[in-house]
Amino acid sequence: MIDKLNGKLPEAVLKELPLVMEKFGINNANRLSHFLSQVAHESGNFKFVNENLNYGAKGLLSIFKKYFPTEILAKAYERQPQKIANKVYASRMGNGDEASGEGFKFRGRGYIQLTGKNNYKAFSDFIGEDCVANPDLVATKYPLTSAAFFFHTNKLWDVCDKGHSHDVVVAVTKRVNGGTIGIDDRVKHFNHFNELLA
Protein backbone atom coordinates (compact mmCIF):
# COMPACT_ATOMS: atom_id res chain seq x y z
CA MET A 1 0.00 0.00 0.00
CA ILE A 2 2.83 2.42 0.87
CA ASP A 3 4.45 1.99 -2.54
CA LYS A 4 1.51 3.87 -4.07
CA LEU A 5 2.57 6.92 -2.05
CA ASN A 6 6.16 7.05 -3.32
CA GLY A 7 6.81 10.51 -4.74
CA LYS A 8 3.49 11.75 -3.33
CA LEU A 9 4.64 12.39 0.25
CA PRO A 10 7.82 13.92 1.71
CA GLU A 11 10.64 11.42 2.31
CA ALA A 12 10.50 11.99 6.08
CA VAL A 13 6.82 10.96 6.11
CA LEU A 14 7.44 7.90 3.95
CA LYS A 15 10.28 6.86 6.25
CA GLU A 16 8.16 7.11 9.42
CA LEU A 17 4.98 5.66 7.88
CA PRO A 18 5.69 1.86 7.97
CA LEU A 19 6.30 1.85 11.73
CA VAL A 20 3.26 4.10 12.31
CA MET A 21 1.01 1.81 10.25
CA GLU A 22 2.22 -1.27 12.10
CA LYS A 23 2.08 0.26 15.60
CA PHE A 24 -1.40 1.74 15.20
CA GLY A 25 -3.13 -0.87 13.07
CA ILE A 26 -3.52 1.32 10.00
CA ASN A 27 -4.17 -1.75 7.91
CA ASN A 28 -6.41 -0.55 5.10
CA ALA A 29 -6.63 2.24 2.53
CA ASN A 30 -9.62 3.85 4.23
CA ARG A 31 -7.87 4.36 7.59
CA LEU A 32 -4.70 5.58 5.87
CA SER A 33 -6.63 8.03 3.65
CA HIS A 34 -8.48 9.53 6.63
CA PHE A 35 -5.28 9.78 8.66
CA LEU A 36 -3.11 11.31 5.93
CA SER A 37 -5.80 13.78 4.84
CA GLN A 38 -6.21 15.18 8.35
CA VAL A 39 -2.46 15.28 8.96
CA ALA A 40 -1.84 16.97 5.60
CA HIS A 41 -4.36 19.69 6.39
CA GLU A 42 -3.24 20.24 9.99
CA SER A 43 0.44 20.53 9.02
CA GLY A 44 0.14 22.60 5.84
CA ASN A 45 1.01 19.60 3.67
CA PHE A 46 3.53 18.11 6.13
CA LYS A 47 5.47 21.39 6.47
CA PHE A 48 4.76 22.50 10.03
CA VAL A 49 5.90 20.52 13.07
CA ASN A 50 5.96 23.37 15.61
CA GLU A 51 3.06 25.49 16.80
CA ASN A 52 3.25 29.06 15.52
CA LEU A 53 2.50 31.37 18.43
CA ASN A 54 3.78 34.58 16.86
CA TYR A 55 0.51 36.49 17.28
CA GLY A 56 -0.06 40.22 17.15
CA ALA A 57 -2.40 41.90 19.63
CA LYS A 58 -5.38 41.56 17.28
CA GLY A 59 -4.82 37.81 16.95
CA LEU A 60 -4.48 37.34 20.68
CA LEU A 61 -7.73 39.25 21.30
CA SER A 62 -9.64 37.07 18.85
CA ILE A 63 -8.07 33.62 19.38
CA PHE A 64 -7.15 33.78 23.07
CA LYS A 65 -9.68 36.30 24.38
CA LYS A 66 -9.99 34.34 27.63
CA TYR A 67 -6.31 34.96 28.40
CA PHE A 68 -6.06 38.41 26.81
CA PRO A 69 -9.28 40.23 27.66
CA THR A 70 -7.84 43.72 27.08
CA GLU A 71 -5.86 45.33 24.29
CA ILE A 72 -3.29 46.60 26.81
CA LEU A 73 -2.57 43.05 27.97
CA ALA A 74 -2.50 41.72 24.40
CA LYS A 75 -0.02 44.42 23.35
CA ALA A 76 2.27 43.50 26.26
CA TYR A 77 2.51 39.95 24.88
CA GLU A 78 2.25 40.38 21.12
CA ARG A 79 4.95 38.84 18.90
CA GLN A 80 6.52 37.05 21.87
CA PRO A 81 5.75 33.34 21.23
CA GLN A 82 7.48 32.09 24.37
CA LYS A 83 5.66 34.53 26.63
CA ILE A 84 2.32 33.83 24.89
CA ALA A 85 2.67 30.04 25.26
CA ASN A 86 3.64 30.33 28.91
CA LYS A 87 0.49 32.37 29.62
CA VAL A 88 -2.01 30.46 27.47
CA TYR A 89 -0.87 26.98 28.53
CA ALA A 90 -0.09 27.78 32.19
CA SER A 91 -1.54 25.63 34.99
CA ARG A 92 -3.36 23.21 32.70
CA MET A 93 -2.63 19.99 30.80
CA GLY A 94 -0.09 19.14 33.52
CA ASN A 95 1.93 22.32 32.96
CA GLY A 96 3.20 24.49 35.81
CA ASP A 97 2.33 28.15 36.23
CA GLU A 98 3.33 30.88 33.79
CA ALA A 99 6.73 31.38 35.44
CA SER A 100 7.59 27.67 35.07
CA GLY A 101 8.10 28.06 31.31
CA GLU A 102 6.34 24.73 30.72
CA GLY A 103 3.70 26.30 28.48
CA PHE A 104 6.36 27.00 25.87
CA LYS A 105 8.37 23.87 26.61
CA PHE A 106 5.31 21.69 25.94
CA ARG A 107 3.75 23.78 23.17
CA GLY A 108 2.24 22.06 20.15
CA ARG A 109 4.58 19.87 18.14
CA GLY A 110 4.14 17.18 15.50
CA TYR A 111 1.82 17.09 12.50
CA ILE A 112 -1.23 17.19 14.79
CA GLN A 113 -0.01 19.38 17.62
CA LEU A 114 0.78 17.35 20.75
CA THR A 115 0.38 19.96 23.52
CA GLY A 116 0.83 19.99 27.30
CA LYS A 117 3.09 18.09 29.68
CA ASN A 118 0.49 15.39 30.41
CA ASN A 119 0.20 14.57 26.70
CA TYR A 120 3.99 14.53 26.27
CA LYS A 121 4.22 12.16 29.26
CA ALA A 122 1.50 9.86 27.89
CA PHE A 123 3.17 9.83 24.46
CA SER A 124 6.58 9.14 26.05
CA ASP A 125 5.15 6.18 27.98
CA PHE A 126 3.53 4.85 24.82
CA ILE A 127 6.53 5.24 22.52
CA GLY A 128 9.19 4.26 25.07
CA GLU A 129 11.34 7.37 24.68
CA ASP A 130 11.47 10.37 27.02
CA CYS A 131 9.86 13.25 25.13
CA VAL A 132 9.29 15.10 28.41
CA ALA A 133 13.05 15.50 28.85
CA ASN A 134 13.46 16.21 25.12
CA PRO A 135 10.18 17.65 23.73
CA ASP A 136 11.75 18.47 20.36
CA LEU A 137 11.75 14.73 19.56
CA VAL A 138 8.02 15.09 18.82
CA ALA A 139 8.82 17.55 16.03
CA THR A 140 12.03 15.96 14.75
CA LYS A 141 11.67 12.19 15.19
CA TYR A 142 7.96 11.54 15.82
CA PRO A 143 5.79 14.12 13.99
CA LEU A 144 3.73 11.41 12.26
CA THR A 145 3.80 8.97 15.17
CA SER A 146 2.49 11.62 17.56
CA ALA A 147 -0.35 12.37 15.12
CA ALA A 148 -1.25 8.68 15.01
CA PHE A 149 -1.10 8.64 18.81
CA PHE A 150 -3.70 11.44 18.79
CA PHE A 151 -5.94 9.30 16.54
CA HIS A 152 -5.37 6.32 18.83
CA THR A 153 -6.10 8.08 22.14
CA ASN A 154 -9.18 9.80 20.70
CA LYS A 155 -10.50 6.51 19.25
CA LEU A 156 -10.57 7.95 15.75
CA TRP A 157 -9.85 4.66 14.00
CA ASP A 158 -13.40 3.56 14.90
CA VAL A 159 -14.75 6.69 13.19
CA CYS A 160 -12.53 6.10 10.14
CA ASP A 161 -13.88 2.56 9.85
CA LYS A 162 -17.37 3.90 9.14
CA GLY A 163 -16.38 4.43 5.50
CA HIS A 164 -15.29 7.07 3.05
CA SER A 165 -18.34 9.29 2.66
CA HIS A 166 -18.32 13.06 3.10
CA ASP A 167 -20.14 12.60 6.43
CA VAL A 168 -17.34 10.38 7.78
CA VAL A 169 -14.69 12.94 6.78
CA VAL A 170 -16.75 15.56 8.63
CA ALA A 171 -17.03 13.30 11.71
CA VAL A 172 -13.26 12.70 11.77
CA THR A 173 -12.62 16.42 11.27
CA LYS A 174 -14.83 17.33 14.24
CA ARG A 175 -12.78 15.04 16.49
CA VAL A 176 -9.48 16.42 15.19
CA ASN A 177 -10.43 20.09 15.00
CA GLY A 178 -13.34 20.52 17.40
CA GLY A 179 -15.35 21.88 14.46
CA THR A 180 -15.25 21.82 10.69
CA ILE A 181 -12.58 24.43 9.97
CA GLY A 182 -10.91 23.66 6.64
CA ILE A 183 -13.41 20.95 5.73
CA ASP A 184 -13.16 21.57 1.96
CA ASP A 185 -9.38 21.13 2.06
CA ARG A 186 -9.67 18.02 4.24
CA VAL A 187 -12.20 16.47 1.83
CA LYS A 188 -9.94 17.34 -1.11
CA HIS A 189 -6.99 15.63 0.60
CA PHE A 190 -9.12 12.62 1.52
CA ASN A 191 -10.33 12.15 -2.07
CA HIS A 192 -6.75 12.49 -3.33
CA PHE A 193 -5.37 9.83 -0.97
CA ASN A 194 -8.40 7.60 -1.40
CA GLU A 195 -7.87 7.55 -5.19
CA LEU A 196 -4.13 7.00 -4.86
CA LEU A 197 -4.58 4.05 -2.50
CA ALA A 198 -7.60 2.43 -4.18
Side-chain angles (χ1 to χ4, degrees), residues 43-58:
S43 65
N45 279 324
F46 307 98
K47 287 187 192 88
F48 308 120
V49 292
N50 288 289
E51 183 177 10
N52 179 6
L53 288 152
N54 190 24
Y55 292 103
K58 191 176 176 185

Side-chain angles (χ1 to χ4, degrees), residues 25-193:
I26 307 172
N27 50 19
N28 60 56
N30 189 57
R31 281 186 174 193
L32 188 54
S33 296
H34 278 295
F35 176 61
L36 290 175
S37 64
Q38 293 294 330
V39 170
H41 176 82
E42 290 289 320
S43 65
N45 279 324
F46 307 98
K47 287 187 192 88
F48 308 120
V49 292
N50 288 289
E51 183 177 10
N52 179 6
L53 288 152
N54 190 24
Y55 292 103
K58 191 176 176 185
L60 292 173
L61 285 165
S62 65
I63 296 165
F64 297 117
K65 182 78 174 161
K66 177 180 174 185
Y67 303 97
F68 301 98
T70 67
E71 191 171 347
I72 291 169
L73 185 60
K75 283 202 173 295
Y77 279 77
E78 74 176 338
R79 304 290 174 214
Q80 297 175 76
Q82 191 165 343
K83 210 171 158 184
I84 291 167
N86 286 333
K87 181 167 183 65
V88 170
Y89 296 137
S91 304
R92 62 192 188 99
M93 299 182 290
N95 294 339
D97 63 14
E98 191 172 346
S100 73
E102 289 188 338
F104 187 72
K105 183 177 182 182
F106 300 110
R107 69 191 180 280
R109 290 184 185 84
Y111 290 135
I112 294 180
Q113 309 279 282
L114 187 74
T115 310
K117 190 175 187 178
N118 286 346
N119 288 323
Y120 276 76
K121 173 85 170 70
F123 181 66
S124 297
D125 292 345
F126 183 86
I127 208 72
E129 189 161 357
D130 192 352
C131 297
V132 174
N134 187 357
D136 283 329
L137 284 172
V138 175
T140 58
K141 187 175 180 180
Y142 297 118
L144 195 67
T145 307
S146 62
F149 178 73
F150 175 89
F151 265 61
H152 171 75
T153 55
N154 288 282
K155 299 183 173 30
L156 271 157
W157 305 121
D158 295 341
V159 182
C160 296
D161 289 343
K162 292 180 179 174
H164 52 265
S165 70
H166 183 273
D167 287 349
V168 178
V169 177
V170 169
V172 174
T173 298
K174 284 181 176 175
R175 293 282 274 279
V176 170
N177 176 261
T180 56
I181 293 169
I183 189 62
D184 292 344
D185 187 58
R186 294 171 202 265
V187 168
K188 184 186 86 181
H189 281 301
F190 178 80
N191 290 336
H192 169 69
F193 287 118

